[in-house]
Amino acid sequence: MRILIAEDDQVLADGLMRALRAAGYAVDQVASGSEADTALLTHEFDLLILDIGLPKLNGLEVLRRLRSRGALNAHVPVLVLTAADSVEQRVQGLDLGADDYMAKPFALQELEARVRALTRRGLGSTGSIIKHGPLSFDSTGRVAYLNEQMVDLSARELSLLEVLLQRAGRLVSKEQLVQHLCSWGDEVSNNAIEVYIHRLRKKIEQGPVRIATVRGLGYCLERIANDA
Ligand code: CA
């Protein structure tokens, strides 16, 4: 799960990044509307946290452009951050296609709860459990189970498994994995992805699922037929 924070108050942005990273998300931050616009054109995100009062291009304009382009990230869930007293900003934000808003100042815990709800909605499911054969993943609690037993996975391995499970049976490219797992500050290469996949395989492939390598293209989480 990769989140973009567009917020020019650096103290607030740092607090958000710390909290969301600790909760297992990959997080990037920009401090102006024009940078947000560029980031949304070039990288795929699972959620946008958007301050309305941004320099260069205000948040409402960023949102208007995003929703009208119909391109990359056009349907990404958007949580707008508004000034406490501005009912007008909230109404405009929701009219332009924001999914939720929070008035400043807000409690971090509440923001985290809204982020969980919005990222679940982005997956097209209301429950937080993703299942595939004997594997299940609780995206709220950030815990994976194999045959009802909890699997001991690192934060990166959990994120990797989550992306593979969301697209079970379909090809996921290394580039997509890098995009979903890594923030810009992180040095994570395709080779590192291979290492994480290797570790993940050792932990989950005792059962009838496997992570197949599609040479030169990526990976696919597959079920092995019982009668094969
Ligand atoms: Ca601001």
Side-chain angles (χ1 to χ4, degrees):
M1 284 277 137
R2 189 173 184 188
I3 298 177
L4 178 66
I5 298 175
E7 171 59 72
D8 58 324
D9 176 340
Q10 200 56 45
V11 174
L12 175 58
D14 286 344
L16 289 178
M17 278 194 284
R18 253 197 312 278
L20 293 170
R21 282 182 179 148
Y25 299 99
V27 186
D28 298 302
Q29 186 227 343
V30 291
S32 75
S34 52
E35 286 172 282
D37 195 53
T38 304
L40 290 162
L41 277 167
T42 51
H43 295 78
E44 194 179 345
F45 295 98
D46 301 293
L47 177 71
L48 168 63
I49 298 177
L50 179 64
D51 180 33
I52 297 296
L54 285 175
K56 293 194 184 145
L57 204 60
N58 81 38
L60 292 172
E61 179 60 17
V62 172
L63 183 57
R64 195 192 60 73
R65 291 187 186 192
L66 174 70
R67 292 302 193 220
S68 61
R69 271 199 292 264
L72 187 65
N73 294 308
H75 303 291
V76 70
V78 177
L79 172 62
V80 294
L81 306 181
T82 68
D85 50 354
S86 182
V87 175
E88 195 185 336
Q89 282 186 357
R90 284 174 223 174
V91 173
Q92 281 183 300
L94 294 171
D95 279 350
L96 284 170
D99 298 271
D100 202 354
Y101 70 85
M102 293 202 71
K104 295 178 183 176
F106 49 80
L108 268 183
Q109 278 178 319
E110 188 183 352
L111 179 116
E112 287 182 58
R114 307 252 182 134
V115 165
R116 282 196 296 271
L118 286 170
T119 50
R120 282 204 295 275
R121 204 187 301 171
L123 297 177
S125 76
T126 48
S128 63
I129 309 282
I130 315 170
K131 279 193 75 109
H132 187 67
L135 270 177
S136 61
F137 184 89
D138 175 348
S139 53
T140 305
R142 312 289 308 162
V143 184
Y145 299 92
L146 178 64
N147 297 318
E148 255 82 283
Q149 302 244 308
M150 196 194 284
V151 191
D152 183 23
L153 298 174
S154 70
R156 278 266 162 77
E157 291 161 357
L158 276 170
S159 296
L160 193 63
L161 180 62
E162 184 177 28
V163 176
L164 289 167
L165 272 169
Q166 282 163 12
R167 295 161 178 77
R170 285 180 283 159
L171 176 73
V172 185
S173 69
K174 273 190 197 169
E175 181 55 33
Q176 278 176 309
L177 292 173
V178 169
Q179 288 257 326
H180 280 271
L181 297 198
C182 313
S183 308
W184 299 325
D186 295 343
E187 302 259 331
V188 175
S189 61
N190 282 1
N191 287 345
I193 293 288
E194 283 175 21
V195 173
Y196 293 129
I197 289 277
H198 176 75
R199 289 194 201 144
L200 191 56
R201 276 183 172 139
K202 284 209 283 197
K203 293 178 181 177
I204 66 160
E205 283 193 346
Q206 305 96 319
V209 286
R210 64 175 184 140
I211 302 168
T213 302
V214 184
R215 193 161 284 281
L217 295 175
Y219 301 96
C220 178
L221 186 69
E222 295 181 336
R223 279 176 88 162
I224 302 162
N226 290 329
D227 53 358

